[in-house]
Amino acid sequence: MPLLVMKFGGTSVANIDRIRRAAKRVGVEVAKGYDVIVIVSAMAGRTNELVGWVEEISPFYDAREYDAVVASGENVTAGLMALILQEMDVPARSWQGWQVPVRTTSTHSAARIEEIPTDNITAKFTEGMRVAVIAGFQGLSPEGRITTLGRGGSDTTAVAFAAAFGAERCDIYTDVDGVYTTDPRVCDKARKLDRIAFEEMLELASLGAKVLQTRSVELAMRYNVTLRVLSSFGELSDTAGTLVCSEEEIMESNVVNGIAFSRDEAKMTLISVADRPGIAAAIFGPLSEAGVNVDMIIQNISEEGRTDMTFSCPTTQVTRAQKALEEAKSRGEINFRELVADTAVAKISAVGIGMRSQSGVAAKMFRTLSDEGINIKVIATSEIKISVLIDRKYMELAVQALHDAFGLDQAT
Ligand code: ADP
Ligand code: ASP
Ligand code: MG
């Protein structure tokens, strides 16, 4: 029988009523003749609550126990979804990650899926089961411990199952009816895109648009999974959504197709470090070993053999970065006068594959921000994106101004 993967995010399974509505959508596909693999998130707010409890005990927790706790939210919704489907006379059962098993690396709280054996679930489909409900976001390490895939990881579970089972499509049901030109909660002129290229979606996701987890887009691209984002709240018949697909499947496109932002950035500056060969390695080596995700980097011009080095990282990693750099200093590997942390910055990015062939995007972005009186602190560019760090208090203003400047409310 043809097979579909349907993923329901936290708000789509926030209570029993909503799980019933989601189950009804699953029922429609089963009635059409599909076997369905349903991936569920934890109820809205539950994962945050679980993380909060762990952090309340200690900020230096054992990551294996963190995973044991935060994975539990998905177990609840998987069982509830299976119960509701059974009540609808749809043969269904639930699986937790370890039961499949979803084999992952042992990087706790940020594990990657390595393998999903299909025999166990396929055998049940052969016996007449119509829906396999899988707890998203979780897996099993080689050491036999529960792992989680990082926040938003159920999207990745969904795409990985679609790839492993060769599903006809992977539908991500969420609380917006597709991928927009920017977060519709920040810019009311945001426009829903009918299609978006994998490359652009990948950039938008990694630059802060949380509608899809970055890794899920990577997997969909690699395994050519047909990926759709759609609302679980609209009419059952409304299945327009957004198709994430290859560039060749998109006829018309703007130069810039999306604006992403990330609120929780910090700008760290090492003041007066010796400008000598190997200094960057001496700074960024220890940071990388400490697990700090360094994003943008600038080295200022040097004067009398000394320079300032600036980098950005998530605000949650500032303490870890400070500790790593102070330790490197006390070991005599680096020398700096001061380490200044600015934790009130945000990153705004413009993304579009049209940038490959068209110049002037950066100039337009900088002019727009300057017209609004917004100062740019750090700039980074790549082939299809331009990112800037600005004061966090101007984040919404910057997103709206750039959305207007690039005419994103209008289709080409
Ligand atoms: P779920 O719980 O279903 O996984 P998420 O909260 O993870 O949902 O992701 C959906 C949210 O992503 C939306 O509510 C929206 O606020 C946000 N979002 C950010 N950028 C975009 C974008 N470009 N298009 C659509 N939604 C976006
Ligand atoms: N429940 C997890 C989270 O909130 C995973 C997910 O919803 O995708 O991050
Ligand atoms: Mg999500």
mmCIF file of all heavy atoms in Angstrom, residues 237-286:
data_model
loop_
_atom_site.group_PDB
_atom_site.id
_atom_site.type_symbol
_atom_site.label_atom_id
_atom_site.label_comp_id
_atom_site.label_asym_id
_atom_site.label_seq_id
_atom_site.Cartn_x
_atom_site.Cartn_y
_atom_site.Cartn_z
ATOM 1 N N SER A 237 -10.071 19.954 3.840
ATOM 2 C CA SER A 237 -9.819 19.938 2.390
ATOM 3 C C SER A 237 -8.698 20.893 1.990
ATOM 4 O O SER A 237 -8.201 20.841 0.870
ATOM 5 C CB SER A 237 -11.103 20.336 1.664
ATOM 6 O OG SER A 237 -11.519 21.599 2.150
ATOM 7 N N ASP A 238 -8.314 21.785 2.894
ATOM 8 C CA ASP A 238 -7.298 22.766 2.531
ATOM 9 C C ASP A 238 -5.902 22.174 2.702
ATOM 10 O O ASP A 238 -5.372 22.096 3.791
ATOM 11 C CB ASP A 238 -7.444 24.028 3.391
ATOM 12 C CG ASP A 238 -6.455 25.102 2.956
ATOM 13 O OD1 ASP A 238 -5.795 24.912 1.905
ATOM 14 O OD2 ASP A 238 -6.327 26.112 3.664
ATOM 15 N N THR A 239 -5.324 21.754 1.591
ATOM 16 C CA THR A 239 -4.036 21.079 1.668
ATOM 17 C C THR A 239 -2.989 21.813 0.843
ATOM 18 O O THR A 239 -2.008 21.227 0.396
ATOM 19 C CB THR A 239 -4.148 19.629 1.160
ATOM 20 O OG1 THR A 239 -4.728 19.660 -0.137
ATOM 21 C CG2 THR A 239 -5.002 18.782 2.072
ATOM 22 N N ALA A 240 -3.222 23.118 0.620
ATOM 23 C CA ALA A 240 -2.290 23.883 -0.222
ATOM 24 C C ALA A 240 -0.894 23.917 0.389
ATOM 25 O O ALA A 240 0.042 23.340 -0.147
ATOM 26 C CB ALA A 240 -2.819 25.287 -0.439
ATOM 27 N N GLY A 241 -0.733 24.552 1.524
ATOM 28 C CA GLY A 241 0.558 24.595 2.206
ATOM 29 C C GLY A 241 1.698 25.104 1.338
ATOM 30 O O GLY A 241 1.491 25.834 0.363
ATOM 31 N N THR A 242 2.896 24.730 1.718
ATOM 32 C CA THR A 242 4.101 25.083 0.961
ATOM 33 C C THR A 242 4.854 23.814 0.626
ATOM 34 O O THR A 242 5.052 22.964 1.490
ATOM 35 C CB THR A 242 5.035 25.986 1.799
ATOM 36 O OG1 THR A 242 4.335 27.179 2.121
ATOM 37 C CG2 THR A 242 6.323 26.334 1.026
ATOM 38 N N LEU A 243 5.265 23.705 -0.623
ATOM 39 C CA LEU A 243 6.078 22.560 -1.038
ATOM 40 C C LEU A 243 7.547 22.968 -0.983
ATOM 41 O O LEU A 243 7.933 23.983 -1.560
ATOM 42 C CB LEU A 243 5.690 22.157 -2.460
ATOM 43 C CG LEU A 243 6.410 20.931 -3.029
ATOM 44 C CD1 LEU A 243 5.926 19.665 -2.331
ATOM 45 C CD2 LEU A 243 6.188 20.828 -4.528
ATOM 46 N N VAL A 244 8.349 22.199 -0.267
ATOM 47 C CA VAL A 244 9.795 22.443 -0.248
ATOM 48 C C VAL A 244 10.369 21.519 -1.317
ATOM 49 O O VAL A 244 10.185 20.302 -1.249
ATOM 50 C CB VAL A 244 10.409 22.126 1.140
ATOM 51 C CG1 VAL A 244 11.866 22.579 1.192
ATOM 52 C CG2 VAL A 244 9.611 22.791 2.247
ATOM 53 N N CYS A 245 11.006 22.106 -2.335
ATOM 54 C CA CYS A 245 11.386 21.284 -3.489
ATOM 55 C C CYS A 245 12.685 21.776 -4.110
ATOM 56 O O CYS A 245 13.282 22.743 -3.643
ATOM 57 C CB CYS A 245 10.260 21.338 -4.524
ATOM 58 S SG CYS A 245 9.887 23.007 -5.053
ATOM 59 N N SER A 246 13.127 21.114 -5.152
ATOM 60 C CA SER A 246 14.393 21.529 -5.761
ATOM 61 C C SER A 246 14.178 22.802 -6.588
ATOM 62 O O SER A 246 13.066 23.100 -7.018
ATOM 63 C CB SER A 246 14.962 20.410 -6.613
ATOM 64 O OG SER A 246 14.142 20.246 -7.736
ATOM 65 N N GLU A 247 15.259 23.530 -6.746
ATOM 66 C CA GLU A 247 15.248 24.804 -7.456
ATOM 67 C C GLU A 247 14.594 24.708 -8.834
ATOM 68 O O GLU A 247 13.896 25.606 -9.267
ATOM 69 C CB GLU A 247 16.720 25.163 -7.678
ATOM 70 C CG GLU A 247 17.130 26.522 -7.330
ATOM 71 C CD GLU A 247 18.635 26.633 -7.493
ATOM 72 O OE1 GLU A 247 19.379 26.120 -6.622
ATOM 73 O OE2 GLU A 247 19.053 27.195 -8.492
ATOM 74 N N GLU A 248 14.846 23.593 -9.521
ATOM 75 C CA GLU A 248 14.349 23.412 -10.894
ATOM 76 C C GLU A 248 12.826 23.385 -10.952
ATOM 77 O O GLU A 248 12.235 23.636 -11.987
ATOM 78 C CB GLU A 248 14.881 22.107 -11.505
ATOM 79 C CG GLU A 248 16.387 22.067 -11.727
ATOM 80 C CD GLU A 248 17.174 21.873 -10.437
ATOM 81 O OE1 GLU A 248 16.732 21.055 -9.605
ATOM 82 O OE2 GLU A 248 18.197 22.554 -10.250
ATOM 83 N N GLU A 249 12.195 23.064 -9.807
ATOM 84 C CA GLU A 249 10.732 22.973 -9.808
ATOM 85 C C GLU A 249 10.068 24.320 -9.534
ATOM 86 O O GLU A 249 8.862 24.398 -9.370
ATOM 87 C CB GLU A 249 10.273 21.957 -8.756
ATOM 88 C CG GLU A 249 10.686 20.519 -9.063
ATOM 89 C CD GLU A 249 10.408 19.591 -7.886
ATOM 90 O OE1 GLU A 249 9.231 19.295 -7.645
ATOM 91 O OE2 GLU A 249 11.379 19.189 -7.210
ATOM 92 N N ILE A 250 10.885 25.383 -9.454
ATOM 93 C CA ILE A 250 10.325 26.704 -9.172
ATOM 94 C C ILE A 250 10.511 27.594 -10.386
ATOM 95 O O ILE A 250 11.626 27.774 -10.873
ATOM 96 C CB ILE A 250 10.993 27.327 -7.926
ATOM 97 C CG1 ILE A 250 10.709 26.430 -6.719
ATOM 98 C CG2 ILE A 250 10.498 28.739 -7.683
ATOM 99 C CD1 ILE A 250 11.409 26.834 -5.453
ATOM 100 N N MET A 251 9.405 28.133 -10.907
ATOM 101 C CA MET A 251 9.466 28.909 -12.140
ATOM 102 C C MET A 251 9.935 30.335 -11.866
ATOM 103 O O MET A 251 10.901 30.800 -12.429
ATOM 104 C CB MET A 251 8.086 28.958 -12.810
ATOM 105 C CG MET A 251 7.530 27.594 -13.151
ATOM 106 S SD MET A 251 8.565 26.723 -14.335
ATOM 107 C CE MET A 251 8.037 27.525 -15.841
ATOM 108 N N GLU A 252 9.238 31.023 -10.991
ATOM 109 C CA GLU A 252 9.532 32.431 -10.749
ATOM 110 C C GLU A 252 10.020 32.605 -9.326
ATOM 111 O O GLU A 252 9.532 31.957 -8.420
ATOM 112 C CB GLU A 252 8.250 33.267 -10.894
ATOM 113 C CG GLU A 252 7.566 33.119 -12.225
ATOM 114 C CD GLU A 252 7.963 34.205 -13.195
ATOM 115 O OE1 GLU A 252 8.812 35.039 -12.816
ATOM 116 O OE2 GLU A 252 7.445 34.202 -14.309
ATOM 117 N N SER A 253 10.975 33.507 -9.158
ATOM 118 C CA SER A 253 11.495 33.698 -7.812
ATOM 119 C C SER A 253 12.013 35.117 -7.672
ATOM 120 O O SER A 253 12.536 35.700 -8.619
ATOM 121 C CB SER A 253 12.610 32.675 -7.600
ATOM 122 O OG SER A 253 13.225 32.867 -6.376
ATOM 123 N N ASN A 254 11.849 35.702 -6.488
ATOM 124 C CA ASN A 254 12.445 37.012 -6.216
ATOM 125 C C ASN A 254 13.938 36.832 -5.945
ATOM 126 O O ASN A 254 14.396 35.719 -5.716
ATOM 127 C CB ASN A 254 11.797 37.618 -4.975
ATOM 128 C CG ASN A 254 10.396 38.143 -5.250
ATOM 129 O OD1 ASN A 254 10.136 38.727 -6.304
ATOM 130 N ND2 ASN A 254 9.484 37.923 -4.323
ATOM 131 N N VAL A 255 14.671 37.934 -5.971
ATOM 132 C CA VAL A 255 16.099 37.850 -5.640
ATOM 133 C C VAL A 255 16.239 37.446 -4.170
ATOM 134 O O VAL A 255 16.985 36.543 -3.826
ATOM 135 C CB VAL A 255 16.807 39.200 -5.881
ATOM 136 C CG1 VAL A 255 18.288 39.091 -5.535
ATOM 137 C CG2 VAL A 255 16.634 39.635 -7.318
ATOM 138 N N VAL A 256 15.480 38.141 -3.321
ATOM 139 C CA VAL A 256 15.423 37.750 -1.906
ATOM 140 C C VAL A 256 14.064 37.093 -1.687
ATOM 141 O O VAL A 256 13.033 37.617 -2.098
ATOM 142 C CB VAL A 256 15.573 38.987 -0.992
ATOM 143 C CG1 VAL A 256 15.275 38.621 0.468
ATOM 144 C CG2 VAL A 256 16.987 39.545 -1.101
ATOM 145 N N ASN A 257 14.049 35.920 -1.072
ATOM 146 C CA ASN A 257 12.783 35.211 -0.856
ATOM 147 C C ASN A 257 12.374 35.118 0.599
ATOM 148 O O ASN A 257 11.264 34.708 0.905
ATOM 149 C CB ASN A 257 12.857 33.803 -1.442
ATOM 150 C CG ASN A 257 12.357 33.781 -2.881
ATOM 151 O OD1 ASN A 257 11.402 34.487 -3.199
ATOM 152 N ND2 ASN A 257 12.996 33.020 -3.725
ATOM 153 N N GLY A 258 13.287 35.468 1.489
ATOM 154 C CA GLY A 258 12.903 35.378 2.892
ATOM 155 C C GLY A 258 13.817 36.175 3.799
ATOM 156 O O GLY A 258 14.977 36.431 3.473
ATOM 157 N N ILE A 259 13.245 36.587 4.938
ATOM 158 C CA ILE A 259 14.025 37.259 5.975
ATOM 159 C C ILE A 259 13.925 36.386 7.223
ATOM 160 O O ILE A 259 12.825 36.049 7.659
ATOM 161 C CB ILE A 259 13.429 38.658 6.325
ATOM 162 C CG1 ILE A 259 13.229 39.526 5.070
ATOM 163 C CG2 ILE A 259 14.292 39.357 7.374
ATOM 164 C CD1 ILE A 259 14.488 40.023 4.420
ATOM 165 N N ALA A 260 15.076 36.008 7.757
ATOM 166 C CA ALA A 260 15.081 35.207 8.988
ATOM 167 C C ALA A 260 15.709 36.026 10.098
ATOM 168 O O ALA A 260 16.442 36.984 9.832
ATOM 169 C CB ALA A 260 15.869 33.919 8.781
ATOM 170 N N PHE A 261 15.405 35.661 11.326
ATOM 171 C CA PHE A 261 16.036 36.366 12.441
ATOM 172 C C PHE A 261 16.251 35.398 13.583
ATOM 173 O O PHE A 261 15.583 34.382 13.703
ATOM 174 C CB PHE A 261 15.168 37.544 12.913
ATOM 175 C CG PHE A 261 13.766 37.147 13.252
ATOM 176 C CD1 PHE A 261 13.453 36.683 14.513
ATOM 177 C CD2 PHE A 261 12.770 37.221 12.294
ATOM 178 C CE1 PHE A 261 12.154 36.297 14.826
ATOM 179 C CE2 PHE A 261 11.471 36.840 12.594
ATOM 180 C CZ PHE A 261 11.158 36.367 13.855
ATOM 181 N N SER A 262 17.226 35.729 14.375
ATOM 182 C CA SER A 262 17.513 34.920 15.542
ATOM 183 C C SER A 262 17.729 35.867 16.704
ATOM 184 O O SER A 262 18.602 36.726 16.670
ATOM 185 C CB SER A 262 18.738 34.061 15.240
ATOM 186 O OG SER A 262 19.301 33.628 16.420
ATOM 187 N N ARG A 263 16.873 35.713 17.702
ATOM 188 C CA ARG A 263 16.811 36.653 18.820
ATOM 189 C C ARG A 263 17.960 36.450 19.813
ATOM 190 O O ARG A 263 18.445 37.393 20.394
ATOM 191 C CB ARG A 263 15.477 36.396 19.531
ATOM 192 C CG ARG A 263 14.988 37.415 20.479
ATOM 193 C CD ARG A 263 13.679 36.933 21.098
ATOM 194 N NE ARG A 263 12.640 36.721 20.089
ATOM 195 C CZ ARG A 263 11.776 37.659 19.711
ATOM 196 N NH1 ARG A 263 11.816 38.844 20.257
ATOM 197 N NH2 ARG A 263 10.869 37.409 18.796
ATOM 198 N N ASP A 264 18.347 35.201 19.981
ATOM 199 C CA ASP A 264 19.241 34.885 21.101
ATOM 200 C C ASP A 264 20.699 34.796 20.697
ATOM 201 O O ASP A 264 21.329 33.758 20.813
ATOM 202 C CB ASP A 264 18.775 33.593 21.769
ATOM 203 C CG ASP A 264 17.349 33.731 22.244
ATOM 204 O OD1 ASP A 264 17.073 34.732 22.928
ATOM 205 O OD2 ASP A 264 16.517 32.881 21.907
ATOM 206 N N GLU A 265 21.226 35.895 20.221
ATOM 207 C CA GLU A 265 22.631 35.930 19.810
ATOM 208 C C GLU A 265 23.419 36.774 20.802
ATOM 209 O O GLU A 265 22.888 37.681 21.425
ATOM 210 C CB GLU A 265 22.748 36.559 18.419
ATOM 211 C CG GLU A 265 21.982 35.833 17.331
ATOM 212 C CD GLU A 265 22.647 34.537 16.896
ATOM 213 O OE1 GLU A 265 23.884 34.482 16.893
ATOM 214 O OE2 GLU A 265 21.921 33.580 16.585
ATOM 215 N N ALA A 266 24.694 36.467 20.916
ATOM 216 C CA ALA A 266 25.574 37.293 21.738
ATOM 217 C C ALA A 266 26.803 37.650 20.919
ATOM 218 O O ALA A 266 27.248 36.869 20.080
ATOM 219 C CB ALA A 266 25.993 36.544 22.992
ATOM 220 N N LYS A 267 27.315 38.865 21.163
ATOM 221 C CA LYS A 267 28.528 39.301 20.465
ATOM 222 C C LYS A 267 29.640 39.376 21.501
ATOM 223 O O LYS A 267 29.526 40.080 22.507
ATOM 224 C CB LYS A 267 28.268 40.672 19.838
ATOM 225 C CG LYS A 267 29.481 41.362 19.279
ATOM 226 C CD LYS A 267 29.028 42.620 18.541
ATOM 227 C CE LYS A 267 30.163 43.590 18.316
ATOM 228 N NZ LYS A 267 30.244 44.643 19.338
ATOM 229 N N MET A 268 30.707 38.629 21.270
ATOM 230 C CA MET A 268 31.807 38.551 22.226
ATOM 231 C C MET A 268 33.036 39.206 21.606
ATOM 232 O O MET A 268 33.383 38.892 20.461
ATOM 233 C CB MET A 268 32.155 37.092 22.529
ATOM 234 C CG MET A 268 30.960 36.199 22.852
ATOM 235 S SD MET A 268 30.408 36.426 24.535
ATOM 236 C CE MET A 268 31.701 35.578 25.402
ATOM 237 N N THR A 269 33.693 40.069 22.355
ATOM 238 C CA THR A 269 34.904 40.704 21.821
ATOM 239 C C THR A 269 36.080 40.503 22.766
ATOM 240 O O THR A 269 35.986 40.802 23.961
ATOM 241 C CB THR A 269 34.676 42.214 21.578
ATOM 242 O OG1 THR A 269 33.534 42.355 20.734
ATOM 243 C CG2 THR A 269 35.876 42.850 20.887
ATOM 244 N N LEU A 270 37.160 39.975 22.212
ATOM 245 C CA LEU A 270 38.417 39.859 22.953
ATOM 246 C C LEU A 270 39.210 41.109 22.629
ATOM 247 O O LEU A 270 39.551 41.350 21.465
ATOM 248 C CB LEU A 270 39.196 38.636 22.461
ATOM 249 C CG LEU A 270 38.635 37.288 22.899
ATOM 250 C CD1 LEU A 270 38.963 36.231 21.878
ATOM 251 C CD2 LEU A 270 39.218 36.922 24.247
ATOM 252 N N ILE A 271 39.481 41.915 23.645
ATOM 253 C CA ILE A 271 40.165 43.176 23.405
ATOM 254 C C ILE A 271 41.669 43.006 23.589
ATOM 255 O O ILE A 271 42.111 42.411 24.568
ATOM 256 C CB ILE A 271 39.604 44.274 24.320
ATOM 257 C CG1 ILE A 271 38.107 44.391 23.987
ATOM 258 C CG2 ILE A 271 40.339 45.605 24.126
ATOM 259 C CD1 ILE A 271 37.396 45.529 24.568
ATOM 260 N N SER A 272 42.370 43.500 22.592
ATOM 261 C CA SER A 272 43.835 43.516 22.612
ATOM 262 C C SER A 272 44.462 42.121 22.764
ATOM 263 O O SER A 272 45.033 41.786 23.788
ATOM 264 C CB SER A 272 44.335 44.457 23.732
ATOM 265 O OG SER A 272 45.738 44.585 23.658
ATOM 266 N N VAL A 273 44.312 41.334 21.690
ATOM 267 C CA VAL A 273 45.034 40.060 21.648
ATOM 268 C C VAL A 273 46.236 40.223 20.720
ATOM 269 O O VAL A 273 46.207 41.031 19.791
ATOM 270 C CB VAL A 273 44.144 38.890 21.124
ATOM 271 C CG1 VAL A 273 43.076 38.526 22.115
ATOM 272 C CG2 VAL A 273 43.526 39.232 19.789
ATOM 273 N N ALA A 274 47.290 39.467 20.974
ATOM 274 C CA ALA A 274 48.487 39.556 20.136
ATOM 275 C C ALA A 274 48.148 39.084 18.726
ATOM 276 O O ALA A 274 47.555 38.029 18.555
ATOM 277 C CB ALA A 274 49.587 38.698 20.730
ATOM 278 N N ASP A 275 48.501 39.887 17.720
ATOM 279 C CA ASP A 275 48.214 39.521 16.332
ATOM 280 C C ASP A 275 49.409 38.749 15.780
ATOM 281 O O ASP A 275 50.357 39.331 15.281
ATOM 282 C CB ASP A 275 47.963 40.807 15.520
ATOM 283 C CG ASP A 275 47.431 40.488 14.137
ATOM 284 O OD1 ASP A 275 47.090 39.317 13.893
ATOM 285 O OD2 ASP A 275 47.351 41.421 13.311
ATOM 286 N N ARG A 276 49.356 37.433 15.906
ATOM 287 C CA ARG A 276 50.476 36.597 15.450
ATOM 288 C C ARG A 276 49.908 35.362 14.758
ATOM 289 O O ARG A 276 48.732 35.017 14.969
ATOM 290 C CB ARG A 276 51.330 36.175 16.654
ATOM 291 C CG ARG A 276 50.511 35.459 17.728
ATOM 292 C CD ARG A 276 51.346 34.732 18.737
ATOM 293 N NE ARG A 276 50.535 34.207 19.834
ATOM 294 C CZ ARG A 276 49.896 33.043 19.819
ATOM 295 N NH1 ARG A 276 49.937 32.279 18.739
ATOM 296 N NH2 ARG A 276 49.191 32.628 20.857
ATOM 297 N N PRO A 277 50.731 34.691 13.933
ATOM 298 C CA PRO A 277 50.224 33.492 13.274
ATOM 299 C C PRO A 277 49.753 32.488 14.333
ATOM 300 O O PRO A 277 50.417 32.318 15.357
ATOM 301 C CB PRO A 277 51.445 32.944 12.525
ATOM 302 C CG PRO A 277 52.369 34.099 12.381
ATOM 303 C CD PRO A 277 52.130 34.982 13.554
ATOM 304 N N GLY A 278 48.608 31.878 14.106
ATOM 305 C CA GLY A 278 48.116 30.859 15.031
ATOM 306 C C GLY A 278 47.172 31.392 16.096
ATOM 307 O O GLY A 278 46.603 30.626 16.867
ATOM 308 N N ILE A 279 46.963 32.724 16.106
ATOM 309 C CA ILE A 279 46.134 33.276 17.177
ATOM 310 C C ILE A 279 44.665 32.844 17.037
ATOM 311 O O ILE A 279 43.996 32.520 18.020
ATOM 312 C CB ILE A 279 46.276 34.826 17.287
ATOM 313 C CG1 ILE A 279 45.532 35.357 18.519
ATOM 314 C CG2 ILE A 279 45.805 35.538 16.053
ATOM 315 C CD1 ILE A 279 46.071 34.862 19.829
ATOM 316 N N ALA A 280 44.176 32.822 15.787
ATOM 317 C CA ALA A 280 42.777 32.410 15.580
ATOM 318 C C ALA A 280 42.589 30.965 16.029
ATOM 319 O O ALA A 280 41.616 30.629 16.715
ATOM 320 C CB ALA A 280 42.391 32.578 14.111
ATOM 321 N N ALA A 281 43.551 30.113 15.701
ATOM 322 C CA ALA A 281 43.455 28.707 16.117
ATOM 323 C C ALA A 281 43.482 28.601 17.636
ATOM 324 O O ALA A 281 42.740 27.814 18.228
ATOM 325 C CB ALA A 281 44.602 27.912 15.507
ATOM 326 N N ALA A 282 44.313 29.436 18.273
ATOM 327 C CA ALA A 282 44.425 29.373 19.736
ATOM 328 C C ALA A 282 43.142 29.833 20.424
ATOM 329 O O ALA A 282 42.828 29.391 21.531
ATOM 330 C CB ALA A 282 45.601 30.229 20.201
ATOM 331 N N ILE A 283 42.389 30.715 19.756
ATOM 332 C CA ILE A 283 41.124 31.196 20.343
ATOM 333 C C ILE A 283 39.978 30.227 20.033
ATOM 334 O O ILE A 283 39.226 29.812 20.921
ATOM 335 C CB ILE A 283 40.768 32.603 19.793
ATOM 336 C CG1 ILE A 283 41.792 33.626 20.305
ATOM 337 C CG2 ILE A 283 39.349 32.998 20.184
ATOM 338 C CD1 ILE A 283 41.639 34.999 19.671
ATOM 339 N N PHE A 284 39.858 29.863 18.755
ATOM 340 C CA PHE A 284 38.671 29.107 18.360
ATOM 341 C C PHE A 284 38.791 27.601 18.605
ATOM 342 O O PHE A 284 37.775 26.914 18.676
ATOM 343 C CB PHE A 284 38.271 29.450 16.915
ATOM 344 C CG PHE A 284 37.858 30.896 16.800
ATOM 345 C CD1 PHE A 284 38.704 31.847 16.230
ATOM 346 C CD2 PHE A 284 36.656 31.321 17.344
ATOM 347 C CE1 PHE A 284 38.343 33.195 16.173
ATOM 348 C CE2 PHE A 284 36.286 32.663 17.298
ATOM 349 C CZ PHE A 284 37.134 33.596 16.711
ATOM 350 N N GLY A 285 40.013 27.121 18.806
ATOM 351 C CA GLY A 285 40.193 25.711 19.173
ATOM 352 C C GLY A 285 39.508 25.387 20.500
ATOM 353 O O GLY A 285 38.620 24.532 20.552
ATOM 354 N N PRO A 286 39.896 26.092 21.577
ATOM 355 C CA PRO A 286 39.261 25.836 22.875
ATOM 356 C C PRO A 286 37.744 26.065 22.854
ATOM 357 O O PRO A 286 37.004 25.354 23.532
ATOM 358 C CB PRO A 286 39.936 26.844 23.813
ATOM 359 C CG PRO A 286 41.231 27.179 23.152
ATOM 360 C CD PRO A 286 41.025 27.039 21.680
#
